[in-house]
Amino acid sequence: MKTLAFIVAAALAFAQGRAAQGLRVYVIDVEGGGATLVVSPSGESMLIDSGSPGPAAERDSARIADAMRAAGLPKINDLFTTHYDSDHVGGASAANAVAHFDRFFDHGEMDPKWEQGRGIEDRYGAYLGIAQGRRTVVKPGDTIPFGRARVDVVSSAGKVIDRAINGGGQQNPFCKDAESKPPNTTENSQSTGVLISYGRFTFLDVGDLTWDKEMDLTCPTNKLGRISLLLATHHGFFNDQSGAPALLWAIQPQVVIANNGPRKGMAPAAFDRIQKVSGLEGLWQSHLALASDKDHNASEDMIANLEPSAECKGHAIAVTAKSDGSFTVANMRSNISKTYRGRQ
Ligand SMILES: [Zn+2]
Ligand SMILES: [Zn+2]
């Protein structure tokens, strides 16, 4: 009995210690793919996307395991897959081997008509192999239980929320002269997106959601409100398929993190567009954008990796947030961090 009492006390202390850390977000470097670990203040954990397949899967799952160690997690409860492109679901089996997921969330049946490149059927099959029977298909407006944090699904399978959340709903002045793009025909357009909230802190991750759907979310009214932290859509507006100013400038993120690769995303135009966010306090990048000059990259302190992929150590960017809306972003390469105050 003594042992049991001790274990209970130790577990309680552990849980309280974690709660004191608030909500945590680890933007894991998977070389221009997606893998973001989110841990709720009450200890529930969710991996949003699982990196790339093939030889890259071993590298990516090792980095996911590094983030688990940093977060003190023996496993990850949920795998949330934004879409079935290789850099988001290709690593699912390898990630499952280290994370032992309990539950799986996605946008539903894969439709091969959205395929870009090859192999979407194989990836989807491999994903079903681990997810089947434990899978939840989400739609816009759904909420996912996540302990003391809240997860709102804002987009899925080409649709977006029809009602405003997070204090949104205002007319969006940036829609008036906004550039429209035709309906996108890639799997990116099907991305599920989430707004994760903990008190006044909000984090938006919409995967590779395309320009046309970003416009649906924020025009003519901005349905998302203002947010604290944005994971820059599509690795920093890759090929300008995402990054609609009408969304970016309306949601006014305090801080933007780009999960860009050395040569994927965060082109100079994306960098410039982010600088025009009113009230922007910081831009962090997973990688130095090697094709851009110094003036179109964040300062080195705020870049997690400076090398091309072959030499990259895969450092993550870690965020801890409190319910008053304040949050700290840390570069796990240099351990340099910056704290941002909650907005009034
Ligand atoms: Zn992607
Ligand atoms: Zn890297």
Side-chain angles (χ1 to χ4, degrees):
M1 279 318 276
K2 233 183 196 162
T3 324
L4 184 66
F6 172 75
I7 291 169
V8 170
L12 207 63
F14 180 79
Q16 285 163 347
R18 292 284 166 221
Q21 295 186 40
L23 177 88
R24 288 168 292 154
V25 179
Y26 298 84
V27 178
I28 301 165
D29 173 29
V30 286
E31 305 302 326
T36 300
L37 175 62
V38 187
V39 187
S40 87
S42 37
E44 293 80 357
S45 50
M46 172 184 284
L47 184 68
I48 303 176
D49 293 328
S50 49
S52 291
E58 201 178 316
R59 172 198 72 202
D60 293 354
S61 60
R63 293 178 181 180
I64 291 165
D66 287 344
M68 290 169 65
R69 254 187 305 278
L73 295 176
K75 64 179 277 119
I76 300 175
N77 301 122
D78 305 332
L79 177 63
F80 184 97
T81 297
T82 61
H83 64 299
Y84 303 124
D85 279 342
S86 63
D87 57 324
H88 294 259
V89 74
S93 304
N96 189 51
V98 299
H100 311 287
F101 304 112
D102 302 314
R103 288 174 296 268
F104 298 82
F105 299 88
D106 60 66
H107 72 62
E109 281 312 286
M110 182 278 297
D111 186 333
K113 79 175 178 195
W114 306 115
E115 179 165 35
Q116 23 175 7
R118 287 157 50 136
I120 198 168
E121 261 140 2
D122 293 343
R123 288 194 294 278
Y124 185 60
Y127 170 68
L128 286 186
I130 57 167
Q132 204 122 56
R134 298 182 290 163
R135 185 177 169 214
T136 303
V137 174
V138 294
K139 52 184 196 313
D142 287 353
T143 59
I144 298 172
F146 197 51
R148 283 168 51 204
R150 179 183 171 94
V151 178
D152 285 289
V153 177
V154 301
S155 67
S156 187
K159 301 217 159 49
V160 304
I161 42 173
D162 48 25
R163 243 171 287 174
I165 59 172
N166 187 38
Q170 295 79 16
Q171 207 69 25
N172 178 358
F174 299 109
C175 298
K176 198 170 148 271
D177 300 313
E179 179 190 349
S180 298
K181 294 204 179 188
N184 188 286
T185 56
T186 68
E187 171 67 14
N188 295 320
S189 68
Q190 304 300 295
S191 288
T192 48
V194 284
L195 182 79
I196 301 181
S197 325
Y198 174 47
R200 299 176 69 90
F201 174 82
T202 45
F203 168 56
L204 184 70
D205 180 350
V206 294
D208 293 352
L209 194 68
T210 49
W211 188 291
D212 52 325
K213 308 294 189 240
E214 290 180 316
M215 298 278 286
D216 291 346
L217 272 171
T218 45
C219 288
T221 59
N222 168 21
K223 294 174 194 155
L224 297 173
R226 296 204 305 166
I227 65 163
S228 316
L229 176 66
L230 171 70
L231 186 69
T233 314
H234 207 168
H235 319 288
F237 316 156
F238 178 56
N239 276 353
D240 237 19
Q241 289 171 22
S242 308
L247 177 139
L248 179 70
W249 296 344
I251 65 174
Q252 290 176 22
Q254 265 178 283
V255 171
V256 175
I257 300 177
N259 56 353
N260 64 317
R263 296 186 183 276
K264 182 177 178 188
M266 286 311 292
F271 181 90
D272 288 340
R273 201 176 299 152
I274 292 168
Q275 300 308 314
K276 290 187 192 151
V277 171
S278 162
L280 182 78
E281 294 176 49
L283 166 64
W284 299 70
Q285 295 173 203
S286 285
H287 276 272
L288 180 68
L290 295 176
S292 298
D293 61 10
K294 212 165 170 280
D295 293 342
H296 294 89
N297 270 291
S299 78
E300 264 190 22
D301 290 348
M302 295 160 91
I303 302 176
N305 301 286
L306 305 172
E307 309 86 355
S309 293
E311 291 120 61
C312 183
K313 305 273 189 310
H315 296 292
I317 297 171
V319 181
T320 56
K322 294 188 191 157
S323 60
D324 66 1
S326 66
F327 59 105
T328 300
V329 183
N331 181 343
M332 293 181 81
R333 171 175 62 84
S334 60
N335 284 321
I336 286 170
S337 68
K338 213 173 159 187
T339 297
Y340 301 92
R341 265 190 294 192
R343 267 182 187 147
Q344 294 311 302

